[in-house]
Amino acid sequence: MTRSARLTLMATVGVSLAMLALAFAAKPLYDTFCRVTGFGGTTRVATAKPSAVLDRQVSIRFDANVSPETPLKFRPVEHSHPIRLGETGLAFYEVTNTSDEPVEAIATYNVAPHKTGPYFNKLECFCFEDRVFAPGETMKLPVVFFVDPALNKEAYLDDVRTITLSYTFYRSEKTAKTVREKDGAA
């Protein structure tokens, strides 16, 4: 094998391995990118509330959805709540397991308009981990949040009067797999 053929082979193998590594890293990298930038309405997780509260007020609208294969009823307890920028808000969602078996599920979330994602922060949320709902059980789940006062400094956000916080409950991956196997759809 000639030197140039070996170099071509090594370059091809190197590029192929790099592409394979990027394929495996794509989801975690994308998730990190969304969390850091708020891309696609991804909200941020905060560890402390802001020190300033501004007079500017926005209305937070609450939305609840459930994937078709998840036997839950899910709704916001209140449909909207006015809040000043920097003020801490508390909202509750109610979820009921409509099946006769325990359901393990997790909620995904985003905000709209998407451009507000980097400014919407959650201090506490039921969406941070999987939850198990007993048969017939109804639970009230809290979310503690604030809208960063920095939103007021951005001219392209001057038109924002309402932010919609939306959740969708899905069966957790391991339970969804078990249900598919049980139904013969594996």
Side-chain angles (χ1 to χ4, degrees):
M1 184 180 278
T2 67
R3 178 173 156 77
S4 87
R6 270 183 285 174
L7 284 174
T8 302
L9 178 63
M10 287 175 28
T12 303
V13 168
V15 168
S16 297
L17 289 175
M19 289 173 61
L20 182 64
L22 282 173
F24 280 105
K27 183 174 178 359
L29 287 173
Y30 181 74
D31 289 346
T32 301
F33 170 77
C34 289
R35 267 194 314 277
V36 169
T37 65
F39 182 76
T42 302
T43 65
R44 296 191 177 190
V45 177
T47 56
K49 63 183 183 173
S51 55
V53 176
L54 306 181
D55 287 336
R56 180 176 172 188
Q57 199 172 64
V58 293
S59 179
I60 307 300
R61 194 178 146 272
F62 304 103
D63 180 50
N65 304 284
V66 179
S67 71
E69 70 280 354
T70 307
L72 298 175
K73 276 197 321 191
F74 181 46
R75 69 176 191 85
V77 172
E78 62 180 324
H79 292 285
S80 67
H81 178 77
I83 191 168
R84 294 181 301 159
L85 300 185
E87 182 178 33
T88 302
L90 171 65
F92 287 92
Y93 282 79
E94 186 177 272
V95 64
T96 301
N97 178 352
T98 59
S99 75
D100 57 358
E101 295 180 357
V103 173
E104 185 175 355
I106 190 160
T108 61
Y109 52 88
N110 68 6
V111 294
H114 292 169
K115 64 186 179 180
T116 62
Y119 303 94
F120 195 95
N121 294 268
K122 292 190 226 168
L123 293 163
E124 181 183 325
C125 185
F126 58 88
C127 60
F128 292 159
E129 57 193 34
D130 288 15
R131 296 203 173 253
V132 177
F133 302 100
E137 178 181 30
T138 296
M139 292 177 86
K140 281 196 176 163
L141 306 172
V143 58
V144 179
F145 61 91
F146 64 88
V147 179
D148 192 323
L151 179 135
N152 204 46
K153 296 177 184 172
E154 301 294 341
Y156 75 99
L157 296 169
D158 286 348
D159 64 332
V160 173
R161 303 282 177 265
T162 302
I163 298 173
T164 301
L165 174 60
S166 182
Y167 289 98
T168 302
F169 257 110
Y170 295 90
R171 280 192 187 263
S172 2
E173 196 53 42
K174 61 184 171 191
T175 359
K177 183 178 182 233
T178 304
V179 169
R180 284 192 303 268
E181 288 170 352
K182 197 163 137 184
D183 292 344

